[in-house]
Every structure is written in C-alpha cells, then in structure tokens.
C-alpha cells in the first residue's frame, strides 16, 4: 500500500514536460528551436540559424541556443561548418551511444550526458524494464550552445522554462544553460535512484516472507541488470563534472564552477546510493539462495523420513511374502492382524521420532 502511495505522489510531483515544440519541426529539420537571449531575456525565435548567429555576433551581446533532436550527418554538417565544430565531436553527436564525457576542442566544449527515466510498473517481474536511458549532448561556445537530444526522453523544455523564469541565471551565458542541463540530468539520477528503492524493498520483503520467495531469483537478477544500466549512466559522469568544477575552461566563467561543484555533490550521492543498492541486492540474492538450499534440505529430510517409515512394512511384507512352510505364526488365527498391528506400531514410533527431531 505504501509503495503504491509513493508512486502516486511521485507521479503528481513529476516535472511538467514542455510540449510546445514537436520532436521534429514542420520543415523536417532536426532543429527543434533556435532562440536568442540577451542579458538573460528571451528575444525572439529565429527560423534561420545563420541569421540568429549573425545578429548575436553583430551586436556583440547575448547568445543563441539551438535545440536539436536526433540530427543526421547532413543536418549537423551545416551547423558544424557554421560554428566551427570539430569533426570528431560531430561524429560522436550523430552516432550517439557515447559515455558521459567533457571534451575541449579549441574554444568549444563538447559534453555528453546520459539521461535516465524510471519506468512505472505495477509489479516487478523477471522481464520488467525499470530504467530507460537516453542521451543529451551540448556544444558550448562563447556566444552559442547547441543541445542535441537522442531518444524519446530527456526533453529540455522544463530546463528552458526554469531558466527563462530566472533571467539573472541566463545572463551568465551558455555556461548557465550547460549547468542547468547537468543539474536537470543529475536530479533525474537522484529521483530514479530513490524510485528503485521501492523495487528493492518489494524484493527484500518477498525473499524474507513465509514462503521464502522461491520464485524471486529472476526478479533479483533483473533488478541487478537494471541497476547496472543505471550505474553505467551515472558513474562515468563524475570525472567530467569535476573537470567543469575545477579546471579553467574559457567558456565556463570562474563564478560558475561552484554551481558545477554542487551538481557533482548530488552526483556523488546518487553514485553512493547505487553502490549501496548493488551491495544490498547481493546480500538479498545470497539470502535467497541460502533459503532455497535450506528448503531443499528440509524437503530431502522429509522424503528420507517417509522412506524410512515405509521401509518397515516393506521389510515385514517382504519376509512374509517368501514361500516357506515354517513361517512365524503362519497358521495362527490372529497372526495376520498381529503382524499388521506390529507394522502400524513401528511406523507410528518412527514417525513420532522424526517429528520430535523436526524432520516431519
């Protein structure tokens, strides 16, 4: 009941998704939006990227934020030539499936972030998808930032709305957008990590229930696989954030490094929590295997005890089944019921002994 309540609360407080921009523009281009900002205030949208960059550089003030969704090589080639992007970074941005990283190419910074999302499910099974991943990339320059999204998740609509509601942050230029992206991604890490705890609690409760959770091995392994996917997204980002927080980078003002240190602290919390969850799942799995072994031993003891009980009448019947003329009490009227009584009494005594010893 409490798990379902937490799911409802989490749904109600989930960030609103900006649906004002489609994933693909009506023109078929990968450009989702192109906006000019001056002193932290949104000026207007530009249909042409070249025009936006020309206006920014002509005035010598502000920057342009270009949002892309899964651009092709040809679509990104024009932007690469216009903004002077490095070919290696452009190739990584098109192909995706990159590790989180921060690379500097002259005066341009190329950043890769893994986005994660918790997949809601009523009950965890051996085939449940718990964590869904995507990618966010950014080319950051002195007067521009190009954000690239791969996958159906990880929209930057909420980030744009939050920044536009705080012009003093946007006044810091493209570095403010890069920080907001990193902060948004890491906040999702923390939220997903907290949500995974519900599944771990459910598995732990099932394993230590009265039936011993004999069918939970598949769920535990599935949860460990999903946790590994989450760790692959979270852990590699630690070093890139440390670079942004400590190293002198032209496009990152010194006053912005403290903000990246704050994001790095939140990332450390998520990383440590994921490590603790992994260790806990190892312990749960070991406890589950131990319970299965104990249950199997108990089953074998019960089978052995019943086999010992059945052995007594089997032995007596085997003796009286032999073809001899001189058998004990063979011609006595009460011999047959006496033998049956002796067998029943022997079985009762053996059964009582096994019950007393906990075998039955």
């Amino acid at each position: 009941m409490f798990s379902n309540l937490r799911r409802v609360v989490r749904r109600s407080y989930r960030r609103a998704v900006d649906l004002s921009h489609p994933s693909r523009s009506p023109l078929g281009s990968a450009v989702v939006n192109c906006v000019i900002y001056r002193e932290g205030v949104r000026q207007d949208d530009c249909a042409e990227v070249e025009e936006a960059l020309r206006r920014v550089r002509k005035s010598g003030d502000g920057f342009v934020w270009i949002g892309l969704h899964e651009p092709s090589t040809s679509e990104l080639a024009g932007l690469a030539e216009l903004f002077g992007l490095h070919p290696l970074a452009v190739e990584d941005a098109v192909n995706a499936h990159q590790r989180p990283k921060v690379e500097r190419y002259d005066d341009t910074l190329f950043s890769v972030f893994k986005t994660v999302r918790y997949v809601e499910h009523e009950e965890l099974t051996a085939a449940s998808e718990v964590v869904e991943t995507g990618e966010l990339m950014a080319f950051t320059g002195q007067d521009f930032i190009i954000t690239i999204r791969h996958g159906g998740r990880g929209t930057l609509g909420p980030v744009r709305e939050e920044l536009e509601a705080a012009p003093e942050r946007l006044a810091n230029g493209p570095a403010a957008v890069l920080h907001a992206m990193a902060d948004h991604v890491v906040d999702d890490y923390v939220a997903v990590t907290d949500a995974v705890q519900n599944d771990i609690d459910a598995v732990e409760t099932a394993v230590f229930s009265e039936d011993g959770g004999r069918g939970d091995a598949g769920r535990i392994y599935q949860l460990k696989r999903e946790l590994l996917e989450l760790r692959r997204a979270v852990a590699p980002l630690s070093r890139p954030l440390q670079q942004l927080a400590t190293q002198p980078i032209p496009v990152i003002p010194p006053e912005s490094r403290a903000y990246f240190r704050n994001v790095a602290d939140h990332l450390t919390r998520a990383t440590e929590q994921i490590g603790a969850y992994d260790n806990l799942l190892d312990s749960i799995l070991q406890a589950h295997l131990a319970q299965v072994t104990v249950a199997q031993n108990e089953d074998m003891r019960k089978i052995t005890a019943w086999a010992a009980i059945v052995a007594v009448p089997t032995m007596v019947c085997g003796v009286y089944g032999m073809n001899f003329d001189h058998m004990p009490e063979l011609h006595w009227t009460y011999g047959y019921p006496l033998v049956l009584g002796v067998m029943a009494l022997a079985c009762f005594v053996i059964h009582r002994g096994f019950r007393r010893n906990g075998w039955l």
Side-chain angles (χ1 to χ4, degrees):
M1 179 180 70
F2 291 104
S3 177
N4 294 334
L5 180 60
R6 283 195 292 266
R7 288 194 179 98
V8 172
V9 172
R10 202 163 54 242
R11 289 191 186 110
S12 63
Y13 282 95
R14 188 175 299 155
R15 292 179 177 180
V17 177
D18 179 20
L19 300 178
S20 58
H21 303 291
S23 60
R24 311 290 291 184
S25 72
L27 299 178
S29 169
V31 178
V32 176
N33 46 41
C34 175
V35 183
I36 297 175
Y37 294 92
R38 287 194 178 94
E39 297 182 356
V41 179
R42 179 172 183 156
Q43 300 301 303
D44 49 19
D45 298 353
C46 295
E48 297 294 335
V49 175
E50 295 87 348
E51 175 64 17
L53 183 61
R54 185 191 66 80
R55 290 168 56 182
V56 167
R57 291 183 174 174
K58 181 179 179 180
S59 64
D61 183 24
F63 68 96
V64 57
W65 181 356
I66 303 168
L68 307 177
H69 179 259
E70 296 183 354
S72 63
T73 303
S74 59
E75 289 172 329
L76 197 54
L79 292 177
E81 182 178 359
L82 180 64
F83 291 94
L85 308 180
H86 197 280
L88 292 178
V90 172
E91 182 180 357
D92 289 345
V94 173
N95 295 332
H97 304 294
Q98 305 294 319
R99 283 172 56 87
K101 60 182 179 180
V102 171
E103 295 179 341
R104 179 180 172 184
Y105 297 96
D106 297 328
D107 293 332
T108 302
L109 201 65
F110 178 60
S111 309
V112 178
F113 303 96
K114 283 282 190 180
T115 60
V116 298
R117 184 183 74 91
Y118 180 77
V119 181
E120 298 285 353
H121 47 269
E122 294 299 328
E123 183 180 0
L124 179 67
T125 65
S128 295
E129 183 182 12
V130 179
V131 178
E132 181 184 0
T133 61
E135 288 186 46
L136 278 177
M137 304 176 180
F139 290 93
T140 309
Q142 294 290 351
D143 53 8
F144 70 88
I145 182 167
I146 303 173
T147 57
I148 303 171
R149 177 166 59 93
H150 288 273
R153 303 293 174 178
T155 176
L156 291 177
V159 175
R160 187 183 293 272
E161 292 175 357
E162 290 176 6
L163 287 174
E164 290 180 354
E168 66 280 1
R169 292 176 59 189
L170 267 179
N172 292 325
V177 179
L178 184 62
H179 163 261
M181 282 180 56
D183 188 51
H184 173 75
V185 169
V186 173
D187 283 348
D188 285 345
Y189 291 166
V190 175
V192 171
T193 303
D194 291 340
V196 169
Q197 184 177 359
N198 295 329
D199 294 313
I200 297 177
D201 292 343
V203 169
E204 185 178 20
T205 301
V207 166
F208 291 101
S209 61
E210 293 182 359
D211 61 358
R214 292 194 177 189
D216 287 324
R219 297 203 302 167
I220 297 174
Y221 278 113
Q222 176 65 14
L223 196 53
K224 282 185 67 66
R225 283 193 294 267
E226 294 295 311
L227 199 63
L228 177 61
E229 183 176 359
L230 180 60
R231 171 177 278 181
R232 287 174 178 169
V234 175
L237 186 58
S238 177
R239 185 176 178 182
L241 283 181
Q242 290 297 329
Q243 290 179 267
L244 295 173
T246 58
Q247 296 183 6
I249 302 175
V251 297
I252 305 296
E255 59 271 14
S256 297
R257 295 176 192 167
Y259 293 96
F260 285 103
R261 283 197 296 270
N262 184 299
V263 177
D265 290 340
H266 293 170
L267 180 70
T268 301
R269 173 201 163 188
T271 304
E272 292 176 349
Q273 199 167 357
I274 291 172
Y277 288 166
D278 190 50
N279 293 334
L280 179 58
L281 281 176
D282 286 337
S283 300
I284 293 174
L285 181 59
Q286 292 300 321
H288 169 71
L289 296 177
Q291 286 184 333
V292 170
T293 302
V294 170
Q296 290 176 344
N297 290 338
E298 290 178 355
D299 293 340
M300 289 302 299
R301 288 198 304 179
K302 291 179 180 180
I303 294 172
T304 303
W306 283 111
I309 294 173
V310 173
V312 173
T314 301
M315 180 185 65
V316 175
C317 292
V319 170
Y320 277 90
M322 293 185 290
N323 297 322
F324 293 108
D325 290 333
H326 303 287
M327 296 289 292
E329 312 298 340
L330 186 62
H331 298 288
W332 185 37
T333 304
Y334 299 103
Y336 184 69
L338 177 63
V339 171
L340 290 179
V342 171
M343 288 191 295
L345 179 61
C347 291
F348 173 76
V349 172
I350 297 174
H351 182 273
R352 187 177 181 83
F354 281 131
R355 285 291 297 271
R356 184 183 297 113
N357 293 326
W359 282 47
L360 289 174

